[in-house]
């Protein structure tokens, strides 16, 4: 489980500069039952594109990169 969490954090670390460029950020919160929980920060927190960023961006990349990830949810 720790290896999977480290892999998730590594992918998130790679994605953060793209979000930071637009004034936002992403923080890992938890991983449970295949679901990655993240906290969106900065401009991402109130952005109308938040759902698209999570589902079409972060979720797709994590599912491809980390076996066992089935969903990403912003909390």
């Amino acid at each position: 489980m720790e290896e999977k969490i480290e892999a998730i954090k590594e992918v998130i670390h790679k994605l953060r500069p793209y979000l930071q460029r637009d004034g936002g950020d992403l923080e890992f919160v938890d991983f449970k039952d295949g679901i990655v929980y993240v906290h969106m920060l900065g401009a991402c927190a109130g952005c109308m594109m938040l759902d698209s960023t999570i589902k079409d961006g972060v979720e797709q990349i994590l599912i491809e990169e980390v076996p066992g990830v089935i969903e990403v949810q912003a909390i």
Side-chain angles (χ1 to χ4, degrees):
M1 179 69 119
E2 281 300 316
E3 288 179 17
K4 199 167 297 241
I5 289 173
E6 285 305 312
I8 291 167
K9 288 180 179 180
E10 187 176 310
V11 171
I12 287 174
H13 180 73
K14 291 179 193 173
L15 296 174
R16 290 181 68 215
Y18 298 101
L19 297 170
Q20 290 170 342
R21 223 180 302 171
D22 291 327
D25 207 347
L26 173 69
E27 177 180 73
F28 172 81
V29 176
D30 197 10
F31 176 67
K32 186 174 184 179
D33 300 323
I35 301 172
V36 177
Y37 296 93
V38 296
H39 186 70
M40 302 303 286
L41 305 167
C44 287
C47 179
M48 293 180 354
M49 297 299 293
L50 176 63
D51 291 337
S52 178
T53 299
I54 292 291
K55 295 298 176 187
D56 297 335
V58 177
E59 182 177 273
Q60 288 297 347
I61 293 167
L62 279 169
I63 287 172
E64 289 176 15
E65 298 283 327
V66 184
V69 172
I70 58 170
E71 185 178 0
V72 175
Q73 291 184 6
I75 57 172

